[in-house]
Amino acid sequence: MEMHSSVTNDYVKRLEEMRKSAKFHPSIWGDYFLAYNSNNTQISSDEQEELAKLKEMVGKLLAQTPDDSQRKLELIDAIQRLGVDYHFEKEIDESLRYVYVNYEQQNNKNGDDLSTVARRFHLLRQHGYNVPSGVFQKFTDNEGNYVASLENNVEGLLNLYEAAHLLKHDEDILDRAIEFCSSYLRASLHKMTANASLSKRVNEALILNMPIRKTLPRLGARKFVSLYEEDESHNEILLKFAKLDFNLVQKMHQRELSDITRWWKKFDVANKMPYARDRIVELFMWMTGIFFEPCYAKA
């Protein structure tokens, strides 16, 4: 019994030495985020009123756009990529439910419009609808290869490329889509000088290897705001709403980060637990990268 106790004590002692020997570098942030406080992160009543006004206008635009139209798909896509879809979850769900119920009919209606077919597929799969990838067969030849005539349809190829990243196991048609689109889009980059927004979207997805599927929602929204603004067809009200919403949510995150930094500092982690990583800021950023919405503030 005594021998067992001695062995246990030695093991615990060695374990403690190992834990305390960790040479993690200190947090690079220090007290930086303590500068964010209730004064410089305050959201004014004017800002709240402006946000509510713009939200109502975007909501009306969403409601007035027919569910069976290409424009509705483009609008929902833009709202999601701009990071303001959490304001219109019910409306978007209802619209996509309608699209799903009429999926086959709508694909036949739009004929060979690759951009619309790919965007519809992408939005539905992204929302959990198990739509078949066979819808892309009409863009392939008898051997299952995508037809070369699509090479000049840059917008369509980019939408297909994004949609294909939602593939499931053994969906060869989507595997081939990624390869086909990558090849032609890379070759077309130098020809896109007339459309800066499209060129940057292609560069982001392919060259930087950051398709929508791999992008953190908040980071993607910040980048897309700039891209959307350069798009000549953008909706000014939606753009203004997205910018204001992003700035106000950012203020909320700054205030949260200040509070959590102050809370963490009280624990004096660096001195009391030198074997632990002092990475509270990084942990906060990872969480807000996924759950950025104000409703998750307490979590």
Side-chain angles (χ1 to χ4, degrees):
M1 187 70 175
E2 291 181 359
M3 180 179 292
H4 180 269
S5 177
S6 176
V7 172
T8 301
N9 290 336
D10 288 343
Y11 174 76
V12 171
K13 183 178 180 180
R14 289 198 305 271
L15 182 60
E16 285 295 320
E17 290 175 351
M18 289 172 61
R19 293 175 72 190
K20 292 180 180 181
S21 68
K23 301 295 182 181
F24 299 126
H25 68 77
S27 171
I28 65 174
W29 305 107
D31 295 339
Y32 179 83
F33 294 105
L34 294 180
Y36 293 126
N37 52 52
S38 58
N39 294 325
N40 55 26
T41 60
Q42 186 67 39
I43 298 176
S44 69
S45 58
D46 288 343
E47 288 175 321
Q48 292 175 333
E49 289 177 9
E50 179 68 7
L51 186 72
K53 177 183 176 182
L54 291 170
K55 177 181 176 179
E56 183 179 358
M57 296 171 72
V58 174
K60 287 181 179 179
L61 176 64
L62 193 58
Q64 293 170 359
T65 307
D67 288 330
D68 60 351
S69 66
Q70 177 181 341
R71 176 60 185 149
K72 189 60 165 280
L73 297 175
E74 293 172 350
L75 184 58
I76 291 175
D77 191 27
I79 287 174
Q80 290 187 162
R81 297 198 64 182
L82 289 167
V84 292
D85 52 308
Y86 71 96
H87 288 284
F88 310 103
E89 290 181 349
K90 180 180 178 182
E91 295 87 341
I92 290 175
D93 285 345
E94 289 177 352
S95 293
L96 291 182
R97 177 64 184 173
Y98 174 89
V99 173
Y100 175 68
V101 171
N102 298 277
Y103 186 66
E104 185 175 346
Q105 176 185 345
Q106 290 182 338
N107 279 314
N108 293 333
K109 174 183 175 181
N110 286 287
D112 293 330
D113 185 351
L114 175 62
S115 187
T116 300
V117 171
R119 182 178 279 114
R120 182 187 296 114
F121 178 89
H122 186 191
L123 290 174
L124 289 175
R125 278 233 172 155
Q126 190 172 260
H127 280 74
Y129 290 106
N130 187 26
V131 289
S133 56
V135 69
F136 296 111
Q137 288 179 351
K138 59 185 174 183
F139 302 110
T140 63
D141 58 24
N142 294 331
E143 296 180 357
N145 299 313
Y146 285 88
V147 295
S149 60
L150 297 172
E151 63 180 274
N152 294 321
N153 186 354
V154 177
E155 185 76 39
L157 289 178
L158 181 57
N159 284 331
L160 175 57
Y161 178 80
E162 295 285 6
H165 278 84
L166 293 169
L167 80 171
K168 297 185 296 184
H169 183 61
D170 285 340
E171 287 190 308
D172 293 338
I173 194 169
L174 296 183
D175 269 324
R176 290 195 298 272
I178 293 177
E179 183 179 350
F180 174 79
C181 294
S182 297
S183 176
Y184 280 104
L185 287 173
R186 287 176 186 275
S188 301
L189 261 177
H190 69 283
K191 305 175 185 177
M192 301 181 199
T193 53
N195 193 331
S197 176
L198 181 59
S199 175
K200 290 178 181 178
R201 284 164 51 204
V202 171
N203 186 74
E204 179 80 15
L206 271 74
I207 308 303
L208 301 182
N209 191 30
M210 290 295 288
I212 299 171
R213 184 66 170 170
K214 296 182 180 180
T215 305
L216 286 174
R218 212 60 190 154
L219 178 61
R222 176 60 188 88
K223 290 181 178 180
F224 191 70
V225 165
S226 299
L227 297 177
Y228 187 68
E229 187 171 22
E230 294 180 358
D231 189 339
E232 294 181 356
S233 65
H234 76 261
N235 181 282
E236 193 63 34
I237 294 174
L238 175 56
L239 177 62
K240 190 175 182 180
F241 174 64
K243 284 183 176 181
L244 180 58
D245 183 76
F246 187 94
N247 290 335
L248 298 189
V249 172
Q250 185 180 57
K251 280 187 178 183
M252 182 195 73
H253 289 160
Q254 290 170 339
R255 187 167 60 253
E256 289 176 350
L257 192 48
S258 176
D259 291 341
I260 202 172
T261 300
R262 188 175 293 103
W263 168 77
W264 187 249
K265 190 177 180 180
K266 289 180 180 179
F267 283 105
D268 193 18
V269 173
N271 294 318
K272 292 182 179 178
M273 294 181 283
Y275 50 82
R277 296 179 187 271
D278 185 5
R279 299 292 180 268
I280 193 64
V281 174
E282 288 81 353
L283 291 172
F284 177 82
M285 297 303 290
W286 272 115
M287 291 304 295
T288 53
I290 303 299
F291 302 107
F292 69 88
E293 298 91 335
C295 65
Y296 295 116
K298 288 187 178 181

